[in-house]
Amino acid sequence: MKSKILIIGACGQIGSELTFKLRELYGAENVIASDISYSNLDIVNSGIFEIVDAKNYASVKVCVEKYKIDTVYLMAAILSATGEKYPMKAWDLNMESLFHVLNLARAKFIKKVFWPSSIAVFGSTTPKEYTPQYTIMEPSTVYGITKQVGERWCEYYHNKYGVDVRSLRYPGIISWKTLPGGGTTDYAVEIYHKAITDGFYDCFLKEDTMLPMMFMDDAIKATVDIMATKKDNVKIRSSYNLAAISFTPKEVADSIKQHMPDFKMTYHPDYRQEIANSWPKSINDSYARQDWKWKHQFNLKDITQEMLFQLNKKYKASINESK
Ligand SMILES: NC(=O)c1ccc[n+]([C@@H]2O[C@H](COP(=O)([O-])OP(=O)(O)OC[C@H]3O[C@@H](n4cnc5c(N)ncnc54)[C@H](O)[C@@H]3O)[C@@H](O)[C@H]2O)c1
């Protein structure tokens, strides 16, 4: 029997692309997209869509029972930059939603859970270069705190109750289909949009701020792979370090200039600089590479080429539509 999948937070940056990929792999009828509102019409109109409030246990359970769901991808969250503006909202959403899904798995309504963690679990006392899987973790943002606590609970539910929960510490994710939702690495998406629309970008991080990043296709592949691998291969039940590349804003600007020599960039660091300063510069993901054979594909040159190509097409199409 085919797996029945529910994606919570399917209208977001990662949830939307994950929905399309899972529908392609497992059949549109087996993948139910859900979110708190109809904020992404591409997703709402592309298959089965339900309004589900991740903070409400009954709301999630009704949907799980209605479609006989066995696997949940919990993508709803408040991210790092927005979390600093609304700390209690971030705590409530990020923790309550996780407990609801873990408790549904504990009660055997569902069999398998994917829950993303983040490089935000690390803090300024963590070794910054090639950050190991097991190291000092003293996150300074409320978002990072929710992810660190969430990791502990995932491992606890696995050890105590046998819940099959799988997790990845995503780095900053770069994509062109859906805009990012309030993270510290959002500059690495905005820059490509502004390069095309304005030929200019004013960056909210300093030019030499090195952060771990990943192209969306790689992030989706990692997510699909860890969920598809045999249970025994998933040896870490808190969350796996996951890496592709690391770069600075200046390096992205330089790679854009290879295609658009007149592109200009200025730097006006804001509150997000402090968040970025507390995060690793690069990540050691050898456990993921060893346990379930993770391998990334896209480097900065590939990402810039694909982002500029796809966004150019998208903006041209929207100009033509409005004519
Ligand atoms: N994007 C990144 O760079 C990145 C990096 C590390 C980790 N992550 C993690 O990946 C996951 C997905 O991130 P994203 O970038 O797609 O986030 P996003 O902000 O783009 O999307 C989150 C989605 O959750 C929905 N949502 C909010 N409250 C909800 C509720 N009560 N019930 C149901 N849905 C609700 C929002 O409407 C939105 O569509 C999050 O857990 C995030 O912490 C993302």
Side-chain angles (χ1 to χ4, degrees), residues 195-237:
I196 290 169
T197 55
D198 303 1
F200 163 78
Y201 181 59
D202 186 28
C203 186
F204 59 75
L205 296 182
K206 284 197 227 159
E207 64 175 11
D208 59 351
T209 313
M210 173 82 75
L211 287 169
M213 299 279 186
M214 181 176 283
F215 195 46
M216 180 64 85
D217 297 38
D218 276 334
I220 299 296
K221 182 179 179 298
T223 309
V224 167
D225 286 357
I226 194 177
M227 288 300 275
T229 196
K230 280 195 292 195
K231 220 174 179 174
D232 291 351
N233 292 340
V234 187
K235 296 185 174 49
I236 294 173
R237 294 296 183 153

Short mmCIF file of all heavy atoms in Angstrom, two decimals, residues 195-237:
data_model
loop_
_atom_site.label_atom_id
_atom_site.label_comp_id
_atom_site.label_asym_id
_atom_site.label_seq_id
_atom_site.Cartn_x
_atom_site.Cartn_y
_atom_site.Cartn_z
N ALA A 195 18.84 41.77 -8.23
CA ALA A 195 19.79 41.87 -9.35
C ALA A 195 19.00 42.02 -10.65
O ALA A 195 19.34 42.85 -11.50
CB ALA A 195 20.69 40.64 -9.39
N ILE A 196 17.93 41.24 -10.76
CA ILE A 196 17.13 41.27 -11.99
C ILE A 196 16.22 42.49 -12.06
O ILE A 196 16.15 43.17 -13.09
CB ILE A 196 16.32 39.96 -12.13
CG1 ILE A 196 17.30 38.83 -12.42
CG2 ILE A 196 15.27 40.06 -13.22
CD1 ILE A 196 16.72 37.46 -12.32
N THR A 197 15.55 42.81 -10.94
CA THR A 197 14.57 43.91 -11.01
C THR A 197 15.23 45.28 -10.93
O THR A 197 14.79 46.23 -11.57
CB THR A 197 13.51 43.80 -9.89
OG1 THR A 197 14.20 43.76 -8.63
CG2 THR A 197 12.65 42.56 -10.04
N ASP A 198 16.33 45.42 -10.13
CA ASP A 198 16.91 46.76 -9.89
C ASP A 198 18.38 46.89 -10.31
O ASP A 198 18.91 47.99 -10.30
CB ASP A 198 16.84 47.11 -8.39
CG ASP A 198 15.42 47.08 -7.83
OD1 ASP A 198 14.50 46.75 -8.61
OD2 ASP A 198 15.24 47.34 -6.64
N GLY A 199 19.04 45.76 -10.54
CA GLY A 199 20.48 45.80 -10.85
C GLY A 199 21.29 46.20 -9.63
O GLY A 199 22.49 46.55 -9.74
N PHE A 200 20.67 46.15 -8.46
CA PHE A 200 21.29 46.68 -7.25
C PHE A 200 20.71 45.98 -6.04
O PHE A 200 19.52 45.67 -6.00
CB PHE A 200 20.97 48.19 -7.19
CG PHE A 200 21.18 48.79 -5.83
CD1 PHE A 200 22.47 49.10 -5.40
CD2 PHE A 200 20.11 49.05 -4.98
CE1 PHE A 200 22.68 49.64 -4.14
CE2 PHE A 200 20.31 49.60 -3.72
CZ PHE A 200 21.61 49.89 -3.30
N TYR A 201 21.56 45.71 -5.00
CA TYR A 201 21.02 45.13 -3.76
C TYR A 201 21.72 45.73 -2.56
O TYR A 201 22.96 45.84 -2.53
CB TYR A 201 21.20 43.60 -3.77
CG TYR A 201 20.63 42.94 -2.52
CD1 TYR A 201 19.29 43.09 -2.18
CD2 TYR A 201 21.44 42.18 -1.68
CE1 TYR A 201 18.76 42.49 -1.04
CE2 TYR A 201 20.92 41.58 -0.54
CZ TYR A 201 19.58 41.74 -0.22
OH TYR A 201 19.07 41.17 0.91
N ASP A 202 20.92 46.11 -1.57
CA ASP A 202 21.46 46.63 -0.32
C ASP A 202 21.37 45.48 0.70
O ASP A 202 20.28 45.12 1.13
CB ASP A 202 20.64 47.84 0.14
CG ASP A 202 21.26 48.48 1.36
OD1 ASP A 202 22.49 48.39 1.54
OD2 ASP A 202 20.49 49.07 2.16
N CYS A 203 22.53 44.93 1.07
CA CYS A 203 22.56 43.70 1.86
C CYS A 203 22.49 43.99 3.35
O CYS A 203 23.16 44.90 3.84
CB CYS A 203 23.85 42.94 1.54
SG CYS A 203 23.91 41.32 2.32
N PHE A 204 21.71 43.19 4.10
CA PHE A 204 21.57 43.41 5.54
C PHE A 204 22.65 42.69 6.36
O PHE A 204 22.60 42.70 7.59
CB PHE A 204 20.16 43.07 6.02
CG PHE A 204 19.71 41.65 5.75
CD1 PHE A 204 20.19 40.59 6.52
CD2 PHE A 204 18.80 41.38 4.74
CE1 PHE A 204 19.76 39.29 6.30
CE2 PHE A 204 18.37 40.07 4.51
CZ PHE A 204 18.86 39.03 5.29
N LEU A 205 23.58 42.00 5.67
CA LEU A 205 24.72 41.40 6.36
C LEU A 205 26.01 42.01 5.81
O LEU A 205 26.03 42.52 4.68
CB LEU A 205 24.76 39.89 6.14
CG LEU A 205 23.61 39.06 6.71
CD1 LEU A 205 23.84 37.57 6.42
CD2 LEU A 205 23.44 39.28 8.22
N LYS A 206 27.10 41.95 6.60
CA LYS A 206 28.40 42.46 6.14
C LYS A 206 28.94 41.59 5.01
O LYS A 206 28.63 40.40 4.94
CB LYS A 206 29.40 42.43 7.29
CG LYS A 206 29.21 43.53 8.30
CD LYS A 206 30.48 43.62 9.13
CE LYS A 206 30.16 43.68 10.59
NZ LYS A 206 31.19 43.30 11.50
N GLU A 207 29.82 42.19 4.19
CA GLU A 207 30.25 41.50 2.98
C GLU A 207 31.03 40.20 3.25
O GLU A 207 31.05 39.30 2.42
CB GLU A 207 31.10 42.43 2.10
CG GLU A 207 32.40 42.88 2.73
CD GLU A 207 33.26 43.70 1.76
OE1 GLU A 207 32.76 44.08 0.69
OE2 GLU A 207 34.43 43.92 2.09
N ASP A 208 31.65 40.09 4.44
CA ASP A 208 32.48 38.90 4.70
C ASP A 208 31.80 37.89 5.65
O ASP A 208 32.46 37.07 6.26
CB ASP A 208 33.83 39.33 5.29
CG ASP A 208 33.64 40.11 6.60
OD1 ASP A 208 32.47 40.44 6.93
OD2 ASP A 208 34.64 40.36 7.29
N THR A 209 30.47 37.96 5.75
CA THR A 209 29.74 37.04 6.64
C THR A 209 29.57 35.68 5.98
O THR A 209 28.68 35.48 5.14
CB THR A 209 28.34 37.62 6.99
OG1 THR A 209 28.48 38.99 7.35
CG2 THR A 209 27.68 36.83 8.10
N MET A 210 30.41 34.75 6.38
CA MET A 210 30.37 33.41 5.78
C MET A 210 29.33 32.55 6.49
O MET A 210 29.35 32.44 7.72
CB MET A 210 31.77 32.79 5.93
CG MET A 210 31.90 31.35 5.54
SD MET A 210 32.10 31.12 3.77
CE MET A 210 33.79 31.63 3.53
N LEU A 211 28.40 31.98 5.71
CA LEU A 211 27.37 31.11 6.31
C LEU A 211 27.17 29.85 5.44
O LEU A 211 27.37 29.90 4.22
CB LEU A 211 26.03 31.85 6.39
CG LEU A 211 25.90 32.95 7.45
CD1 LEU A 211 24.64 33.76 7.23
CD2 LEU A 211 25.92 32.35 8.86
N PRO A 212 26.75 28.75 6.09
CA PRO A 212 26.47 27.53 5.32
C PRO A 212 25.16 27.69 4.55
O PRO A 212 24.17 28.15 5.10
CB PRO A 212 26.32 26.45 6.40
CG PRO A 212 26.74 27.06 7.68
CD PRO A 212 26.57 28.54 7.54
N MET A 213 25.16 27.28 3.28
CA MET A 213 23.99 27.47 2.41
C MET A 213 23.77 26.21 1.56
O MET A 213 24.68 25.39 1.40
CB MET A 213 24.23 28.64 1.45
CG MET A 213 24.45 29.96 2.12
SD MET A 213 22.87 30.69 2.59
CE MET A 213 23.44 32.28 3.16
N MET A 214 22.58 26.15 0.95
CA MET A 214 22.26 24.98 0.12
C MET A 214 21.19 25.36 -0.90
O MET A 214 20.25 26.10 -0.56
CB MET A 214 21.73 23.88 1.03
CG MET A 214 21.37 22.60 0.35
SD MET A 214 20.87 21.34 1.55
CE MET A 214 22.44 20.84 2.18
N PHE A 215 21.30 24.84 -2.11
CA PHE A 215 20.26 25.07 -3.11
C PHE A 215 19.04 24.19 -2.77
O PHE A 215 19.19 23.09 -2.24
CB PHE A 215 20.79 24.72 -4.50
CG PHE A 215 19.93 25.24 -5.62
CD1 PHE A 215 19.47 26.55 -5.61
CD2 PHE A 215 19.58 24.43 -6.69
CE1 PHE A 215 18.67 27.04 -6.64
CE2 PHE A 215 18.79 24.91 -7.72
CZ PHE A 215 18.33 26.21 -7.70
N MET A 216 17.85 24.71 -3.08
CA MET A 216 16.62 24.00 -2.72
C MET A 216 16.60 22.56 -3.22
O MET A 216 16.20 21.64 -2.49
CB MET A 216 15.41 24.75 -3.29
CG MET A 216 14.08 24.12 -2.98
SD MET A 216 13.70 24.09 -1.22
CE MET A 216 12.99 25.70 -0.97
N ASP A 217 17.06 22.33 -4.44
CA ASP A 217 17.01 20.97 -4.99
C ASP A 217 17.79 20.00 -4.12
O ASP A 217 17.38 18.85 -3.91
CB ASP A 217 17.59 20.94 -6.42
CG ASP A 217 16.78 21.79 -7.37
OD1 ASP A 217 16.32 22.87 -6.94
OD2 ASP A 217 16.60 21.39 -8.53
N ASP A 218 18.92 20.47 -3.58
CA ASP A 218 19.71 19.62 -2.68
C ASP A 218 18.96 19.38 -1.37
O ASP A 218 18.95 18.27 -0.84
CB ASP A 218 21.07 20.25 -2.40
CG ASP A 218 22.11 19.92 -3.49
OD1 ASP A 218 21.96 18.87 -4.15
OD2 ASP A 218 23.06 20.70 -3.66
N ALA A 219 18.34 20.44 -0.83
CA ALA A 219 17.61 20.30 0.44
C ALA A 219 16.45 19.31 0.29
O ALA A 219 16.20 18.49 1.18
CB ALA A 219 17.08 21.66 0.89
N ILE A 220 15.75 19.39 -0.84
CA ILE A 220 14.62 18.48 -1.08
C ILE A 220 15.13 17.05 -1.24
O ILE A 220 14.57 16.09 -0.70
CB ILE A 220 13.81 18.91 -2.34
CG1 ILE A 220 13.23 20.32 -2.14
CG2 ILE A 220 12.73 17.90 -2.68
CD1 ILE A 220 12.21 20.47 -1.03
N LYS A 221 16.25 16.91 -1.95
CA LYS A 221 16.82 15.57 -2.14
C LYS A 221 17.20 14.95 -0.78
O LYS A 221 16.90 13.78 -0.51
CB LYS A 221 18.05 15.66 -3.05
CG LYS A 221 18.68 14.32 -3.33
CD LYS A 221 19.88 14.46 -4.26
CE LYS A 221 20.53 13.12 -4.53
NZ LYS A 221 21.05 12.47 -3.32
N ALA A 222 17.83 15.76 0.08
CA ALA A 222 18.24 15.26 1.40
C ALA A 222 17.00 14.81 2.19
O ALA A 222 17.00 13.76 2.85
CB ALA A 222 18.99 16.34 2.16
N THR A 223 15.93 15.61 2.09
CA THR A 223 14.70 15.32 2.84
C THR A 223 14.06 14.02 2.34
O THR A 223 13.67 13.15 3.13
CB THR A 223 13.70 16.49 2.67
OG1 THR A 223 14.39 17.70 2.98
CG2 THR A 223 12.50 16.35 3.56
N VAL A 224 13.98 13.89 1.02
CA VAL A 224 13.40 12.69 0.42
C VAL A 224 14.27 11.48 0.77
O VAL A 224 13.78 10.41 1.15
CB VAL A 224 13.27 12.87 -1.11
CG1 VAL A 224 12.98 11.54 -1.80
CG2 VAL A 224 12.20 13.90 -1.43
N ASP A 225 15.59 11.65 0.69
CA ASP A 225 16.50 10.52 0.95
C ASP A 225 16.43 10.03 2.38
O ASP A 225 16.36 8.83 2.62
CB ASP A 225 17.96 10.93 0.63
CG ASP A 225 18.23 11.00 -0.86
OD1 ASP A 225 17.31 10.69 -1.65
OD2 ASP A 225 19.35 11.39 -1.24
N ILE A 226 16.46 10.95 3.34
CA ILE A 226 16.46 10.48 4.74
C ILE A 226 15.12 9.82 5.08
O ILE A 226 15.06 8.88 5.88
CB ILE A 226 16.80 11.61 5.75
CG1 ILE A 226 17.13 10.95 7.11
CG2 ILE A 226 15.72 12.65 5.86
CD1 ILE A 226 17.56 11.90 8.19
N MET A 227 14.04 10.26 4.44
CA MET A 227 12.73 9.65 4.71
C MET A 227 12.59 8.30 4.00
O MET A 227 11.83 7.44 4.44
CB MET A 227 11.60 10.59 4.28
CG MET A 227 11.46 11.78 5.20
SD MET A 227 11.11 11.34 6.92
CE MET A 227 9.33 11.15 6.88
N ALA A 228 13.33 8.11 2.90
CA ALA A 228 13.19 6.86 2.14
C ALA A 228 14.14 5.77 2.62
O ALA A 228 13.91 4.59 2.37
CB ALA A 228 13.44 7.15 0.65
N THR A 229 15.18 6.16 3.33
CA THR A 229 16.17 5.16 3.72
C THR A 229 15.60 4.22 4.78
O THR A 229 14.61 4.54 5.46
CB THR A 229 17.47 5.83 4.22
OG1 THR A 229 18.51 4.86 4.24
CG2 THR A 229 17.31 6.42 5.62
N LYS A 230 16.22 3.03 4.91
CA LYS A 230 15.75 2.06 5.91
C LYS A 230 15.90 2.64 7.32
O LYS A 230 16.87 3.35 7.60
CB LYS A 230 16.57 0.77 5.81
CG LYS A 230 16.13 -0.12 4.68
CD LYS A 230 16.70 -1.52 4.82
CE LYS A 230 18.18 -1.49 4.61
NZ LYS A 230 18.98 -2.57 4.39
N LYS A 231 14.98 2.26 8.19
CA LYS A 231 14.96 2.76 9.57
C LYS A 231 16.33 2.63 10.25
O LYS A 231 16.80 3.55 10.92
CB LYS A 231 13.94 1.92 10.35
CG LYS A 231 13.08 2.66 11.31
CD LYS A 231 12.05 1.67 11.84
CE LYS A 231 11.14 2.31 12.85
NZ LYS A 231 10.07 1.43 13.27
N ASP A 232 16.96 1.48 10.04
CA ASP A 232 18.23 1.21 10.74
C ASP A 232 19.36 2.14 10.29
O ASP A 232 20.34 2.31 11.01
CB ASP A 232 18.69 -0.23 10.50
CG ASP A 232 17.76 -1.20 11.19
OD1 ASP A 232 16.91 -0.75 11.97
OD2 ASP A 232 17.89 -2.42 10.94
N ASN A 233 19.22 2.71 9.09
CA ASN A 233 20.28 3.63 8.61
C ASN A 233 20.25 4.96 9.34
O ASN A 233 21.21 5.71 9.32
CB ASN A 233 20.13 3.89 7.11
CG ASN A 233 20.41 2.66 6.29
OD1 ASN A 233 21.05 1.73 6.78
ND2 ASN A 233 19.93 2.63 5.06
N VAL A 234 19.08 5.29 9.92
CA VAL A 234 18.94 6.58 10.61
C VAL A 234 19.40 6.40 12.06
O VAL A 234 18.64 6.04 12.94
CB VAL A 234 17.48 7.10 10.56
CG1 VAL A 234 17.39 8.52 11.12
CG2 VAL A 234 16.95 7.06 9.13
N LYS A 235 20.68 6.66 12.25
CA LYS A 235 21.29 6.37 13.56
C LYS A 235 21.19 7.57 14.50
O LYS A 235 21.31 7.42 15.70
CB LYS A 235 22.74 5.95 13.35
CG LYS A 235 22.85 4.64 12.56
CD LYS A 235 24.27 4.16 12.46
CE LYS A 235 24.39 2.80 11.81
NZ LYS A 235 23.69 2.59 10.56
N ILE A 236 21.01 8.75 13.92
CA ILE A 236 20.88 9.95 14.76
C ILE A 236 19.41 10.36 14.76
O ILE A 236 18.82 10.59 13.70
CB ILE A 236 21.77 11.09 14.20
CG1 ILE A 236 23.24 10.69 14.34
CG2 ILE A 236 21.48 12.41 14.93
CD1 ILE A 236 24.20 11.65 13.68
N ARG A 237 18.82 10.42 15.95
CA ARG A 237 17.38 10.72 16.04
C ARG A 237 17.12 12.09 16.64
O ARG A 237 15.98 12.45 16.91
CB ARG A 237 16.67 9.63 16.83
CG ARG A 237 16.69 8.29 16.12
CD ARG A 237 15.93 8.35 14.82
NE ARG A 237 15.87 7.05 14.16
CZ ARG A 237 14.90 6.69 13.34
NH1 ARG A 237 13.93 7.51 13.05
NH2 ARG A 237 14.93 5.51 12.76
#
